[in-house]
Amino acid sequence: MANRTFTIIKPDSVRKGNFGKIISRLESEGFRILGLKKVSLSTKQAQGFYAVHSERPFYPDLVKYMTSGPVYVAALEKEGAVPALRKLMGATDPSKADAGTIRKEFGESIEQNAIHGSDSDENAAIEIGFFFAESELL
Ligand code: ATP
Ligand code: MG
């Protein structure tokens, strides 16, 4: 069954010109792009998106990083999309990510780690809803 997930190509990737390479990886792994937008997250949006981490010591820096430049947000579809994307991204810390993963290839640090992927079907639906109307998903 086709499932949905949500991704953010993070500011470090956009700054370094890695957007096209990362999107190409996603397509070649069989993710269909249902919707894609370039956006600059406001502080409020970044705080809300990562609200689950609001008590963590890295939260203020995380919000600064995510608002440090434009990002691409995308709704993706594939069978088992959530675990498939998490596997393709690799571990949060790029230095611990498996060879061949997006974070291993493009991530800079545990903070500037190139890409976000939803961690559950439920969060995927919520995160897609932050940025897209159902009519924009094709
Ligand atoms: P994401 O939610 O962005 O897909 P993740 O699920 O692998 O990443 P989380 O634990 O949800 O990791 O952390 C959210 C983001 O916060 C990370 O992607 C990273 O940018 C930042 N982060 C996480 N842990 C740390 C840390 N120890 N120090 C600095 N930044 C961190
Ligand atoms: Mg997460």
Side-chain angles (χ1 to χ4, degrees):
M1 193 197 127
N3 306 98
R4 288 177 176 183
T5 192
F6 173 77
T7 191
I8 302 179
I9 315 293
K10 293 184 176 182
D12 54 315
S13 298
V14 178
R15 248 188 312 267
K16 289 191 278 185
N18 289 332
F19 162 72
K21 286 171 237 172
I22 293 173
I23 277 289
S24 175
R25 273 305 292 285
L26 295 172
E27 280 196 309
S28 63
E29 298 285 339
F31 289 91
R32 288 175 295 282
I33 297 159
L34 302 181
L36 175 69
K37 289 180 187 175
K38 190 176 193 182
V39 298
S40 281
L41 297 182
S42 67
T43 298
K44 278 218 163 70
Q45 278 178 311
Q47 285 170 337
F49 190 81
Y50 282 118
V52 63
H53 296 307
S54 61
E55 301 304 316
R56 308 287 288 277
F58 59 79
Y59 181 70
D61 268 2
L62 173 60
V63 170
K64 261 190 224 151
Y65 158 54
M66 290 301 292
T67 58
S68 68
V71 300
Y72 287 86
V73 297
L76 306 175
E77 184 181 71
K78 180 184 163 75
E79 198 176 322
V82 165
L85 179 59
R86 298 288 297 188
K87 183 160 185 257
L88 178 61
M89 290 187 335
T92 306
D93 182 349
S95 71
K96 298 188 177 125
D98 290 341
T101 61
I102 290 172
R103 282 172 167 168
K104 185 71 171 187
E105 187 172 354
F106 299 110
E108 217 161 84
S109 66
I110 191 168
E111 177 183 79
Q112 306 211 5
N113 59 6
I115 186 170
H116 160 79
S118 307
D119 59 11
S120 67
D121 286 358
E122 190 192 359
N123 283 336
I126 292 169
E127 292 171 358
I128 288 170
F130 281 166
F131 294 98
F132 296 96
E134 193 58 38
S135 60
E136 294 177 297
L137 303 177
L138 309 172

